[in-house]
Amino acid sequence: MNALAATSRNFKQSAKLLGLDSKLEKSLLIPFREIKVECTIPKDDGTLASYVGFRVQHDNARGPMKGGIRYHHEVDPDEVNALAQLMTWKTAVANIPYGGAKGGIGCSPGELSISELERLTRVFTQKIHDLIGIHTDVPAPDMGTNAQTMAWILDEYSKFHGYSPAVVTGKPVDLGGSLGRDAATGRGVLFATEALLAEHGKGIAGQRFVIQGFGNVGSWAAQLITEAGGKVIAISDVTGAVKNVNGLDIAQLVKHSAENKGIKGFNGGDAIDPNSLLTEECDVLVPAALGGILSKKGVLILPDILANSGGVTVSYFEWVQNIQGFMWDEEKVNAELRTYMTRAFGDVKAMCRTHHCDLRMGAFTLGVNRVARATVLRGWEA
């Protein structure tokens, strides 16, 4: 099942649980706007190259649309549509005043020089500058893009609209980016896991964790879990997998991974088959990659729509700081993130009790219900 089919299925199930009007249900599913533009740039060798850029703006009932921009050679419109829709439900679950969007450019960023990437980003921004904005649609980094990409978008957008740091999030701190943004998604995973364990009278300390993936989210989650007293016993990434039943030395693993472009060859544990990682005995698996299989076995699943919402929540804090022109210290960012993540978990649990459903359906029902209510309150006509 592709991303769009899976997302639509979850949406339809939650619409049924909520008893939504069929016309309202249909209108919530259809994106607000889909943009497709051609971006032609001179390459470093003087030849011209064209790339297709796009932006799917899904819903703005609860606030400006929000979502990443990815640079990838296989940018699939269906997947982007699904991700834009997911952002709508995710921001609603986190209860931040945004809707959902997603976009990108079909290119291979690894094959482009820095100056080519900058030219491409600026041309893309020129083509969509009147369709994004502080109170319209606020992009962020995604696969193949980073803080530097956001800095170029901010600069190009500001040429048309005046200095506007709040038009993108995930910026460099020197240009109004928020402290704590780097670790935000991993820290959100920690807070969401804490909230889930607290339901069962447990804490992070003493629990055994297995983490699939050691990029930004996985590495931060591993560091923060270890700091909180948890024991990370196995980790995998694209290069391999490593296990140590007494707990991996995460600080050393981060260093090794940076120096060797991956965790393969780390001598602080035993190399294991990455495919066996998901079957290692543990208390908490991050992330639960095989959703259907795990739920059939009675494994409690904290859905991604809640677990990874730390990133967009701190993006919201960044936007707020930019609009106010008043920056927060990292302690305030992290404290506010904990408040939002813990409250979101409580709201999801309340929906689970109301509709007698699991956490995933509880999260979707919560998100869809909030967007549906905002849509109706704003004067939607059936």
Side-chain angles (χ1 to χ4, degrees):
M1 184 182 291
N2 72 10
L4 188 59
T7 308
S8 299
R9 186 192 63 178
N10 287 329
F11 167 78
K12 289 195 170 93
Q13 248 178 293
S14 52
K16 197 172 167 185
L17 279 175
L18 291 163
L20 287 190
D21 173 273
S22 61
K23 293 197 200 95
L24 175 61
E25 181 185 334
K26 194 176 176 185
S27 122
L28 287 177
L29 212 48
I30 297 167
F32 168 78
R33 184 191 281 137
E34 295 185 48
I35 303 146
K36 186 176 175 186
V37 293
E38 189 177 2
C39 304
T40 303
I41 60 157
K43 298 280 290 272
D44 292 345
D45 62 7
T47 60
L48 287 181
S50 278
Y51 304 91
V52 175
F54 56 89
R55 186 82 175 156
V56 174
Q57 298 174 331
H58 180 257
D59 190 278
N60 62 356
R62 298 180 64 258
M65 293 165 284
K66 182 93 192 83
I69 287 182
R70 55 178 51 181
Y71 288 2
H72 193 262
H73 62 282
E74 285 179 353
V75 163
D76 172 17
D78 264 6
E79 188 188 28
V80 171
N81 223 310
L83 293 169
Q85 187 198 134
L86 258 183
M87 282 302 293
T88 298
W89 317 134
K90 188 193 284 192
T91 50
V93 169
N95 208 10
I96 50 182
Y98 283 146
K102 205 78 174 184
I105 299 176
C107 67
S108 301
E111 293 170 14
L112 296 171
S113 70
I114 294 290
S115 59
E116 286 168 343
L117 281 171
E118 178 174 352
R119 287 197 288 276
L120 181 56
T121 303
R122 289 182 183 278
V123 169
F124 182 52
T125 309
Q126 288 163 18
K127 298 277 176 118
I128 66 166
H129 76 89
D130 52 348
L131 297 167
I132 61 172
I134 296 165
H135 302 294
T136 314
D137 178 6
V138 182
D142 201 294
M143 192 193 299
T145 56
N146 55 24
Q148 178 60 72
T149 322
M150 297 305 109
W152 293 328
I153 294 176
L154 159 62
D155 183 66
E156 198 61 34
Y157 180 87
S158 296
K159 289 176 186 174
F160 296 94
H161 303 274
Y163 183 59
S164 315
V167 73
V168 285
T169 59
K171 299 181 292 294
V173 173
D174 292 344
L175 287 177
S178 179
L179 294 170
R181 177 65 188 87
D182 243 16
T185 310
R187 196 177 295 277
V189 169
L190 172 79
F191 292 157
T193 308
E194 273 181 344
L196 178 63
L197 289 169
E199 281 274 307
H200 301 271
K202 296 174 180 174
I204 297 283
Q207 303 293 327
R208 296 165 307 153
F209 289 78
V210 166
I211 299 178
Q212 183 193 30
F214 204 60
N216 173 278
V217 181
S219 60
W220 274 111
Q223 290 171 73
L224 296 164
I225 284 163
T226 307
E227 279 171 28
K231 193 190 281 187
V232 181
I233 57 168
I235 287 179
S236 72
D237 70 0
V238 290
T239 66
V242 62
K243 176 185 178 179
N244 185 336
V245 289
N246 299 315
L248 291 159
D249 183 334
I250 301 301
Q252 284 301 317
L253 186 58
V254 168
K255 190 167 176 269
H256 174 91
S257 178
E259 288 167 1
N260 300 278
K261 292 193 167 63
I263 65 175
K264 190 179 182 182
F266 180 63
N267 58 13
D270 303 316
I272 57 168
D273 176 2
N275 296 325
S276 72
L277 186 95
L278 298 171
T279 57
E280 287 293 334
E281 198 177 310
C282 62
D283 302 307
V284 183
L285 172 67
V286 186
L290 300 172
I293 293 172
L294 292 170
S295 52
K296 284 186 189 113
K297 291 190 171 176
V299 176
L300 198 57
I301 294 169
L302 190 63
D304 52 356
I305 191 176
L306 170 63
N308 65 19
S309 63
V312 72
T313 303
V314 175
S315 273
Y316 163 59
F317 299 161
E318 181 179 330
W319 180 75
V320 167
Q321 292 169 75
N322 294 155
I323 287 174
Q324 290 184 327
F326 181 79
M327 304 310 284
W328 304 351
D329 60 31
E330 195 162 347
E331 212 176 322
K332 179 174 168 69
V333 173
N334 294 343
E336 288 287 340
L337 177 59
R338 181 188 288 273
T339 302
Y340 272 76
M341 294 297 298
T342 310
R343 188 172 58 207
F345 180 79
D347 293 346
V348 169
K349 282 298 291 186
M351 284 307 254
C352 293
R353 285 191 289 272
T354 304
H355 296 288
H356 310 292
C357 57
D358 64 8
L359 287 168
R360 183 179 301 282
M361 227 355 85
F364 264 89
T365 338
L366 175 66
V368 171
N369 189 45
R370 281 181 172 155
V371 179
R373 283 176 55 152
T375 305
V376 170
L377 284 167
R378 287 184 65 158
W380 182 84
E381 289 299 323

